[in-house]
Amino acid sequence: MRVSQRRPPPAGDRGPAGRARGGPGDGPDTGRDGGSILVLAPVGILILLLLATLTADGALAVLGQRQLSDALSAAAADAAGSGVDRAAFYDSGTVQLAPPAVGPAACASLAAQGDLHLHDVRVWVGVAGPVVTLLGRAEVDGIFGRAIPGLGRWQVAATATATAEQAPRVPPRPVAALTPLLC
């Protein structure tokens, strides 16, 4: 039978807290710190999942804001084109918008654009001479945030302005040559 003895470490070799290495309780598994990673790993994973949720749903909110902005721009252009006060134009030659005609034209244009993945769309209209301004607010559904209270829907807003103006009269260009079409 052979008995081995532990040798004390050299004088300059100190472990944590200034204690010499190789003493009692300094083995590879002391049992004190082994479970801390079991608590921190799931917490870290949950934080990463929450950040991924916010990123994905935030991207959807930006997309919804762009959809609302594009829809309002098209509706403002349609309202400016169809809301011209014809009586004022034929009487004085000035382009003015008729406020009673602008609102229904904007609503019809928004309705004709189809499903925009927007909910609770609210639109306000303002008319000043030949200028129409539309302000819109809506809600966008998140994908992952539905499971977290308060993150299921995002509020978005957009503004669009259009001006009805008379194009300057340009004389037609003379046609150099006509080419026959075979239809």
Side-chain angles (χ1 to χ4, degrees):
M1 183 160 126
R2 192 170 163 197
V3 176
S4 68
Q5 291 182 342
R6 263 191 160 164
R7 293 185 185 174
D13 190 16
R14 298 279 178 192
R19 296 186 327 203
R21 290 187 190 175
D26 280 345
D29 184 20
T30 62
R32 289 189 221 160
D33 296 333
S36 65
I37 193 68
L38 293 176
V39 174
L40 293 177
V43 169
I45 291 172
L46 284 176
I47 289 173
L48 287 176
L49 286 175
L50 179 65
L51 290 175
T53 297
L54 289 174
T55 302
D57 287 352
L60 279 176
V62 170
L63 176 65
Q65 194 272 336
R66 294 289 301 252
Q67 283 184 336
L68 181 63
S69 177
D70 292 344
L72 289 178
S73 294
D78 290 345
S82 64
V84 173
D85 186 358
R86 287 168 176 65
F89 179 72
Y90 289 121
D91 289 344
S92 63
T94 60
V95 177
Q96 297 293 321
L97 294 177
V102 171
C107 288
S109 177
L110 286 171
Q113 292 181 38
D115 185 20
L116 297 173
H117 304 291
L118 301 171
H119 303 287
D120 301 327
V121 178
R122 296 170 306 278
V123 180
W124 293 267
V125 63
V127 177
V131 178
V132 60
T133 301
L134 296 177
L135 168 70
R137 296 186 191 273
E139 291 184 355
V140 179
D141 284 336
I143 293 178
F144 303 109
R146 295 178 195 168
I148 301 169
L151 292 181
R153 288 205 165 185
W154 295 70
Q155 301 285 330
V156 294
T159 304
T161 302
T163 304
E165 54 188 29
Q166 186 175 1
R169 292 191 175 248
V170 178
R173 299 166 122 192
V175 178
L178 297 175
T179 305
L181 295 176
L182 301 174
C183 298

